[in-house]
Amino acid sequence: MLTILFDGIAYGMLLFVLACGLAVTLGLMNFVNLAHGAFAMAGGYCTVILVNRWGIPFLAALPLAFLSTAILGLAFERTLYIHVYRKSHLDQVLFTIGLVFMSVAAVDYVMGSSQVFVQLPSWLEGQINVLGVGIGRYRLLIIIICGLLTLLLQFILARSRFGSRLRAAVDDQRVARGLGINVGGVFALTFAFGSGLAGLGGALGAEILGLDPIFPLKYMIYFLIVVTVGGTSSITGPFLASLLLGVGDVAGKYYMPTLGAFVIYTIMILVLIWRPQGLFARGGAR
Amino acid sequence: MSQQPPGEEIARRLVARASWQPLEVLFWAAALASIYVLPGRHLILTEIAILGLFALSLDLILGYAGIVSLGQAAFFGFGAYAAGLLAKYDLVTEPLLALIVSGVAAALVGFVTSFLVLRGSDLTRIMVTLGVALVLREIANRYAWLTGGADGLQGVEIKPLFGLYRFDMFGHTAFCYALGVLIVLFLLARRIVHSPFGLSLQSIKGNPVRAAAVGIPVNGRLVAIYTIAAGYAGVAGALLTQTTAFTSLSVLDFERSADLLLVLIIGGTGYLYGGLIGAILFKLMQDYLAALTPQYWPFWIGLLLVAIVLIGRERIMSWTKPIRALARRLDWRRSTTAVAVEGQRP
């Protein structure tokens, strides 16, 4: 029971790190980025190459995965995405689906279609027993890293100058622009950071979620659930939504294996009908 | 000069817009001629007709009512499984009757889920339609005793059409059947979009708030067109099952909905022929590219989508400008009726 809860929390934290970049993109630019999972996949494959082929230690590969995905995200944002912000939602959906398809086929071509695993160091394998509860070491590591990241994110958003600019831009883009905030620049940085986080999530999650070329398609709906259920106006909303989704999904698969993912989708639809702006949205947000 | 009330003038224009253009006649004449001219290509032509019908269903809600849907495959798949199950368990053996039953069943699903797309923004609609498709796919996957699960629905045997025409392996019967269904449903769709009902949909697409202000029941109209479109998609899915005597989970895939958007975008939205032209181009392209690199075919779809958006849909559609100009010049009736009306004026 507690083990399931623990696994669920680890899973949820992972989802949060994967999806929080998307929450900002959607909230700030009102941009529907279905290709967010492609960046996560990029981070995952980056780690696989670094660790398995070049023999770089796993912990050292994580920041590298973050950095390379962030740079990749920045490059895409500046060259391609920037042209699509002002277009309709339909165009954005078409564009990002196109990117997803391209990434799926390209990874299939380069890395092959089978599932790949990261070779974990031996000290991360197995379980430790705390008060009779079996805790996977790797999952513990995920919770620690993701927890620290969440605190860091919260700190950046709430305390730093960049964070206040970002919040201003999310709340009202036009006024923020009028105050002399470089919304485009803020957004490019945020996009890069969000992609980097997705890449880090992909790197961490390769072991738990499984990494193969259809990763962006498989988990696209999960990211979207986190964002739509959590709302885009704060970081706590997506965080709570991720934890709910993580625990719910793990528990659902354990207790009601016949229903499977069905429960999650149904809950999402119901939440969207009930509160289209998300469960934790503030009143008056767009 | 203009003494007649403005209503008559508007009505005359609308009738002129709804009249048959020579190019339309040419299009359908070519489609019918393909039965005799291209007997060796009937298999792919059947696929094109089915995809065209499916795209038509999306055009009805996207091009005319402005609902962005990423889950049209839900109804396609539902129709496909309905037709498969009806045939497998000998519930309705006559194909055309089974087709109608499947279409109505899919329309019912569309009616029930239509209330979900009424609320919220584009994003909510995208999510909800996507979610509905995923839920249906999950159901089809879980209830393997009924649907065959991941192996697909085996043992579907389609009886002869009207008890007379057997579905042959070259697809001659299948193509005539699919084309006939497509033509009938196209005529119906054409009638719908040119009716006052269709015009009210276009005004809802333009501005829902103003449409409501002039007295159009926005929600009711959206429910109606969503239901109709779901029925169309269901018929398309049922056609696929009946012409191939097989169905699998792939009919409910997300890729199917995404490809469908591409098909409609290639052809252009909001004039009914977009889906059909898009289906022809898409299938020919698929045939060619898949022969080159079958596994990496999605890459080219993706590249095409990205390119279309970056170049701009309007700019891409401008290649049809000379054709539309030609259509206007060919349209002798409109000019003659205009002169006739001019002459009748006192």
Side-chain angles (χ1 to χ4, degrees):
Chain A
M1 173 64 202
L2 278 174
T3 312
I4 293 169
L5 189 68
F6 183 79
D7 282 1
I9 290 174
Y11 187 38
M13 288 248 189
L14 199 56
L15 280 178
F16 172 70
V17 170
L18 281 166
C20 66
L22 187 64
V24 180
T25 339
L26 205 62
L28 179 52
M29 284 309 216
N30 197 13
F31 182 79
V32 184
N33 185 13
L34 298 182
H36 194 71
F39 291 106
M41 179 172 69
Y45 273 100
C46 182
T47 316
V48 167
I49 292 175
L50 285 174
V51 173
N52 292 8
R53 292 205 187 154
W54 296 356
I56 292 174
F58 180 68
L59 283 185
L62 289 180
L64 287 175
F66 174 82
L67 263 184
S68 49
T69 327
I71 291 168
L72 188 72
L74 192 66
F76 267 82
E77 203 272 337
R78 286 287 103 181
T79 52
L80 293 174
Y81 279 76
I82 197 166
H83 302 291
V84 192
Y85 291 141
R86 302 220 165 276
K87 301 206 175 193
S88 67
H89 276 147
L90 175 63
D91 275 326
Q92 295 172 355
V93 166
L94 291 171
F95 174 76
T96 49
I97 289 180
L99 283 185
V100 169
F101 280 175
M102 284 171 75
S103 71
V104 167
V107 168
D108 194 351
Y109 179 73
V110 177
M111 303 291 294
S113 61
S114 55
Q115 198 167 8
V116 293
F117 295 97
V118 180
Q119 287 165 5
L120 289 178
S122 53
W123 55 270
L124 276 176
E125 285 165 6
Q127 288 191 332
I128 46 175
N129 246 317
V130 179
L131 303 174
V133 181
I135 289 178
R137 291 182 181 178
Y138 186 67
R139 287 186 163 75
L140 188 64
L141 178 82
I142 286 181
I143 291 187
I144 292 171
I145 292 181
C146 296
L148 287 177
L149 273 176
T150 313
L151 289 177
L152 184 71
L153 277 178
Q154 184 64 35
F155 179 76
I156 291 177
L157 276 176
R159 294 292 161 81
S160 76
R161 194 163 181 78
F162 181 79
S164 50
R165 281 191 186 141
L166 179 63
R167 278 180 293 135
V170 171
D171 274 354
D172 196 322
Q173 212 188 112
R174 282 181 61 196
V175 175
R177 232 182 265 276
L179 287 171
I181 294 172
N182 180 2
V183 174
V186 167
F187 187 65
L189 264 182
T190 316
F191 191 94
F193 198 73
S195 309
L197 282 181
L200 183 62
L204 280 172
E207 186 65 21
I208 292 182
L209 305 177
L211 192 61
D212 52 9
I214 59 164
F215 183 87
L217 283 174
K218 218 165 37 176
Y219 286 98
M220 180 176 74
I221 187 74
Y222 281 80
F223 305 152
L224 287 172
I225 291 174
V226 168
V227 174
T228 42
V229 172
T232 52
S233 52
S234 68
I235 201 159
T236 31
F239 182 68
L240 291 177
S242 317
L243 286 186
L244 271 180
L245 179 63
V247 175
D249 200 33
V250 170
K253 277 179 183 155
Y254 189 79
Y255 289 114
M256 298 174 284
T258 46
L259 289 175
F262 181 72
V263 184
I264 300 293
Y265 301 147
T266 318
I267 291 174
M268 174 198 78
I269 292 176
L270 290 179
V271 167
L272 281 176
I273 299 310
W274 178 40
R275 298 196 58 172
Q277 299 293 336
L279 266 187
F280 305 103
R282 283 173 303 181
R286 273 178 303 156
Chain B
M1 162 172 173
S2 173
Q3 294 295 317
Q4 57 190 154
E8 275 181 37
E9 171 72 12
I10 293 169
R12 195 177 57 77
R13 289 227 179 131
L14 288 176
V15 169
R17 206 171 67 161
S19 68
W20 282 86
Q21 312 281 320
L23 275 186
E24 291 186 87
V25 178
L26 205 66
F27 181 90
W28 290 111
L32 285 175
S34 65
I35 295 176
Y36 300 103
V37 180
L38 297 166
R41 311 301 301 273
H42 276 177
L43 289 174
I44 190 169
L45 283 172
T46 311
E47 285 179 30
I48 290 176
I50 292 170
L51 186 61
L53 182 61
F54 189 25
L56 187 63
S57 84
L58 184 63
D59 199 12
L60 281 176
I61 56 170
L62 180 64
Y64 285 91
I67 302 173
V68 182
S69 166
L70 258 187
Q72 202 66 3
F75 311 119
F76 185 85
F78 193 84
Y81 271 106
L85 292 172
L86 287 177
K88 186 179 178 184
Y89 295 107
D90 289 329
L91 297 173
V92 181
T93 48
E94 210 292 308
L96 188 61
L97 205 58
L99 188 76
I100 294 170
V101 173
S102 313
V104 170
L108 277 179
V109 177
F111 177 73
V112 173
T113 54
S114 69
F115 296 97
L116 307 179
V117 300
L118 292 179
R119 283 190 67 178
S121 57
D122 275 354
L123 177 67
T124 321
R125 283 175 175 171
I126 289 170
M127 293 287 306
V128 168
T129 50
L130 184 63
V132 169
L134 284 170
V135 166
L136 276 186
R137 189 180 189 283
E138 199 60 33
I139 292 175
N141 193 16
R142 292 289 156 188
Y143 290 85
W145 56 269
L146 184 67
T147 61
D151 298 330
L153 192 63
Q154 312 272 353
V156 176
E157 194 189 337
I158 305 297
K159 297 281 187 307
L161 187 61
F162 308 126
L164 293 173
Y165 307 104
R166 190 166 287 285
F167 285 96
D168 53 298
M169 63 174 290
F170 303 106
H172 299 312
T173 315
F175 178 55
C176 296
Y177 176 50
L179 188 63
V181 172
L182 176 65
I183 290 176
V184 169
L185 286 181
F186 181 85
L187 290 177
L188 185 67
R190 202 177 180 286
R191 185 73 192 86
I192 288 174
V193 300
H194 286 124
S195 70
F197 171 75
L199 295 172
S200 72
L201 285 178
Q202 291 177 43
S203 67
I204 290 172
K205 185 193 177 194
N207 190 329
V209 180
R210 286 189 194 172
V214 297
I216 295 170
V218 174
N219 282 354
R221 297 285 155 97
L222 288 181
V223 167
I225 194 65
Y226 198 76
T227 307
I228 293 171
Y232 270 57
V235 169
L239 269 179
L240 183 70
T241 304
Q242 293 185 337
T243 52
T244 56
F246 178 71
T247 191
S248 70
L249 281 181
S250 78
V251 291
L252 287 162
D253 272 350
F254 167 72
E255 281 89 341
R256 195 173 285 275
S257 301
D259 285 354
L260 186 70
L261 264 180
L262 175 63
V263 167
L264 193 57
I265 295 306
I266 296 176
T269 59
Y271 70 108
L272 291 183
Y273 286 92
L276 308 183
I277 295 169
I280 297 170
L281 293 175
F282 182 84
K283 274 290 170 194
L284 291 181
M285 198 171 65
Q286 190 183 37
D287 210 32
Y288 175 73
L289 284 176
L292 289 181
T293 53
Q295 198 181 351
Y296 310 118
W297 143 249
F299 183 83
W300 303 109
I301 294 188
L303 191 65
L304 193 65
L305 277 169
V306 170
I308 285 177
V309 173
L310 286 182
I311 296 171
R313 278 187 286 142
E314 299 76 24
R315 234 178 287 173
I316 289 191
M317 286 318 293
S318 62
W319 65 267
T320 56
K321 215 180 261 171
I323 302 177
R324 270 181 283 156
L326 178 71
R328 229 170 291 135
R329 205 175 308 159
L330 276 176
D331 192 8
W332 75 95
R333 278 172 312 175
R334 184 184 289 180
S335 48
T336 48
T337 48
V339 168
V341 170
E342 210 82 25
Q344 280 167 6
R345 282 183 190 159

